[in-house]
Amino acid sequence: MRFEFSTATRIIFGEGTIRKAAPIADSFGKTALVVTGHNQERVERLLDSLKGQGIDCHLFSITSEPTIEMIQKGSTEAKRAECDMVIAMGGGSVVDGGKAIAAYLTNPGNIYDYLEVVGKGNALINVPATFIAIPTTAGTGAEVTANAVLQSVVHGVKISLRSSMLLPKVAIVDPLLSLSMPPDLTAATGMDALTQLIEAFISPMGNPMTDTLCREGIQRVAHSIITAFKKGDHIKSRSDMALAALFSGVALANAKLGAVHGIAGPLGGMIKIPHGVICARLLPLVMNANLKALSERRPDAIALDRLKEIAILLTGNKKASAKEGIVWLENICRQMDIPKLSQFGVTQDLISELVPKAQKASSMKGNPIKLTIRELTELIKSAC
């Protein structure tokens, strides 16, 4: 048995741990680019504590999915201010944006030199600037992943900047920061985390360490997502979801993802639609397609046993079949009013364009079986 495992240098989890951010940042330097999202007020306490520690702060906002142009602008501002660290406090987009800025801050040349698909895809030359991630949502696990997802507006695609050096120096996960998430965002981000846990668990590239995290994370989501959705101030549920998201990020960074994200990546680049909504609508459909394809073409696959185990973890029923796990997911999506993809403009013409792109997506490599064009087309149609 051989495998590698990597994650952020330091992970700090728990209620109130945001208070540790300033003292930790002080050990890395005295000038910080603080990356945040829409909610400027949420970062004010952090800024006050950083300034109280004698750290000069420069604020940079990412109010949508990060684009290549945003990263270029952010790194330019950071260089001009001679920042020696980047601190990102916000959702997955903010954290990914902060990662990319930290990388481009210390690496020469054009950002396209390091981007996959639309650029040269070269490896980073220098270690990124010190990066501290502080997530305020519970979904992407971006605080412990080794890539930054960016939008190329010109090319109409989502692409990644990838490197093990992108793993944050410190990840501070404080569940209290997620209390302000509205129900729809709670549902979308929570289902993103669950998708990542499930896809990493059935990925052929998983290992005993990621399997352990996935099992624990899946159970926590099953126990808490509906409560977090209905009672946003329920801290126990928020803590479960924050921990599950953290585990999902660690797992995907080491075990890869599957067909849900293989579709979600290209689709998100083609049309404006919340990533978590795509994951939620596709997850039970992809699981069903995998179950059928594996049963027909690879009946001895380990992934079939994993699909059954997922059902047991989700339902709490030790005798649950894989199909019952899929039904559980469908019911959860129904309870949280996850919208259909057609509501965002996904049409037959778009599906025809999407499927070939999805087949080429890097995430497809982590799916337990290669799905055909017909299988992909039908399941996407069903999500509409």
Side-chain angles (χ1 to χ4, degrees):
M1 184 182 298
R2 296 182 180 180
F3 65 88
E4 293 185 18
F5 188 89
S6 58
T7 190
T9 304
R10 184 179 180 189
I11 298 171
I12 303 171
F13 182 94
E15 297 171 36
T17 50
I18 182 66
R19 292 191 294 269
K20 296 189 176 184
I24 288 171
D26 186 46
S27 67
F28 294 121
K30 285 296 181 182
T31 310
L33 183 75
V34 179
V35 184
T36 187
H38 287 283
N39 193 340
Q40 298 286 319
E41 294 180 5
R42 183 166 49 195
V43 80
E44 285 180 2
R45 273 191 194 177
L46 174 63
L47 291 173
D48 289 342
S49 61
L50 289 169
K51 292 173 183 176
Q53 205 75 38
I55 297 172
D56 186 21
C57 298
H58 300 267
L59 199 61
F60 183 76
S61 295
I62 293 179
T63 57
S64 63
E65 292 188 339
T67 64
I68 294 171
E69 291 73 24
M70 287 180 192
I71 303 310
Q72 291 173 317
K73 182 179 179 182
S75 59
T76 298
E77 292 188 17
K79 288 175 183 176
R80 188 181 299 123
E82 298 183 343
C83 293
D84 42 32
M85 74 181 98
V86 177
I87 303 171
M89 181 176 175
S93 293
V94 171
V95 174
D96 273 356
K99 272 190 231 172
I101 291 171
Y104 193 39
L105 184 57
T106 59
N107 280 274
N110 191 291
I111 191 170
Y112 283 94
D113 292 339
Y114 309 104
L115 295 176
E116 62 178 31
V117 182
V118 300
K120 297 178 181 178
N122 294 336
L124 294 178
I125 298 170
N126 301 319
V127 175
T130 295
F131 178 60
I132 300 173
I134 308 172
T136 59
T137 59
T140 67
E143 66 273 12
V144 285
T145 58
N147 70 301
V149 180
L150 309 177
Q151 180 95 19
S152 175
V153 178
V154 174
H155 300 89
V157 294
K158 281 186 180 181
I159 43 84
S160 283
L161 175 65
R162 297 181 191 275
S163 172
S164 59
M165 290 191 288
L166 285 178
L167 286 165
K169 196 75 172 176
V170 183
I172 299 174
V173 184
D174 186 341
L176 293 176
L177 299 178
S178 67
L179 291 176
S180 62
M181 281 199 296
D184 60 338
L185 185 59
T186 298
T189 55
M191 289 303 293
D192 184 16
L194 181 57
T195 301
Q196 291 172 173
L197 290 162
I198 287 175
E199 291 199 306
F201 190 54
I202 62 174
S203 167
M205 289 173 269
N207 61 64
M209 291 185 73
T210 59
D211 288 348
T212 300
L213 293 173
C214 290
R215 287 187 178 99
E216 179 72 15
I218 290 169
Q219 284 184 302
R220 287 182 182 268
V221 174
H223 291 155
S224 297
I225 189 168
I226 288 298
T227 303
F229 174 74
K230 293 181 177 179
K231 301 177 182 178
D233 60 350
H234 193 274
I235 189 58
K236 171 63 169 61
S237 298
R238 290 296 193 188
S239 293
D240 278 347
M241 295 306 297
L243 193 58
L246 174 67
F247 286 174
S248 79
V250 176
L252 78 86
N254 290 277
K256 310 309 177 189
L257 295 170
V260 174
H261 280 83
I263 298 168
L267 180 55
M270 296 167 68
I271 192 170
K272 189 172 183 180
I273 177 172
H275 175 74
V277 170
I278 303 174
C279 291
R281 293 303 308 180
L282 291 177
L283 181 57
L285 296 165
V286 168
M287 286 181 68
N288 191 58
N290 281 336
L291 176 61
K292 185 178 179 182
L294 287 165
S295 299
E296 293 175 353
R297 303 198 290 273
R298 289 184 54 204
D300 59 341
I302 294 174
L304 281 171
D305 294 329
R306 291 297 176 90
L307 288 170
K308 183 176 180 180
E309 187 176 352
I310 289 166
I312 293 170
L313 293 171
L314 291 174
T315 65
N317 176 9
K318 294 182 179 180
K319 296 182 180 180
S321 65
K323 198 72 176 178
E324 288 175 295
I326 295 168
V327 171
W328 187 94
L329 289 169
E330 292 170 342
N331 289 336
I332 284 291
C333 289
R334 198 174 299 114
Q335 289 181 58
M336 295 192 297
D337 299 317
I338 302 293
K340 293 183 177 181
L341 301 187
S342 57
Q343 294 183 32
F344 298 90
V346 178
T347 62
Q348 178 57 53
D349 288 343
L350 188 142
I351 293 173
S352 299
E353 182 183 350
L354 168 63
V355 171
K357 292 182 179 180
Q359 282 195 307
K360 297 175 184 177
S362 58
S363 289
M364 280 294 180
K365 298 174 184 177
N367 207 56
I369 189 167
K370 184 176 181 179
L371 297 176
T372 65
I373 290 177
R374 182 176 180 179
E375 287 168 336
L376 290 170
T377 301
E378 288 305 313
L379 73 87
I380 297 170
K381 281 182 181 179
S382 297
C384 295

